[in-house]
Amino acid sequence: EIIKRNQAINEYNPDKIYKAILSAYKEHKPILDDNDYELCKMVTTKVDYDIKDLENNGLRRIPIGVIQSLVENRLLDAGLCRLSNSTRY
């Protein structure tokens, strides 16, 4: 589960992370190719792994700020520095 900024609880959905990354990517590169989509999927997969790791270690409700940090770190790891500040949830 995710704790949103307004303290509402939502189910975790990796598709929302993918869409946020994709949206930020499109702001910087309006026309995407297959490699761009694959890179967005790869970052999403790594964030999903990080979140599952947190859940496996006992964190059942993850604040959205933590997820945002995970996404930003994975974007930086992928060399996508310009996107790390553009991602919105």
Side-chain angles (χ1 to χ4, degrees), residues 56-88:
N56 289 337
N57 284 300
L59 188 58
R60 296 290 174 225
R61 290 186 172 167
I62 304 168
I64 194 70
V66 170
I67 293 173
Q68 184 172 355
S69 293
L70 292 171
V71 170
E72 289 171 357
N73 287 334
R74 289 302 185 169
L75 288 169
L76 291 172
D77 289 348
L80 299 171
C81 301
R82 66 189 183 281
L83 299 184
S84 65
N85 293 323
S86 301
T87 313
R88 302 282 181 262

Side-chain angles (χ1 to χ4, degrees), residues 39-56:
L39 187 57
C40 291
K41 286 179 188 174
M42 180 198 68
V43 171
T44 303
T45 299
K46 289 183 178 186
V47 171
D48 188 49
Y49 174 83
D50 293 338
I51 290 170
K52 285 183 174 37
D53 190 46
L54 290 173
E55 290 174 337
N56 289 337

Side-chain angles (χ1 to χ4, degrees), residues 2-39:
I2 304 302
I3 304 172
K4 297 187 75 168
R5 294 187 203 295
N6 66 1
Q7 302 306 307
I9 306 295
N10 285 17
E11 289 299 314
Y12 166 65
N13 182 350
D15 192 48
K16 288 184 179 183
I17 292 172
Y18 176 73
K19 287 178 182 176
I21 293 168
L22 196 57
S23 176
Y25 208 111
K26 286 180 179 178
E27 286 181 23
H28 295 278
K29 185 179 178 189
I31 299 174
L32 304 181
D33 60 30
D34 289 344
N35 290 333
D36 299 322
Y37 287 103
E38 285 303 314
L39 187 57

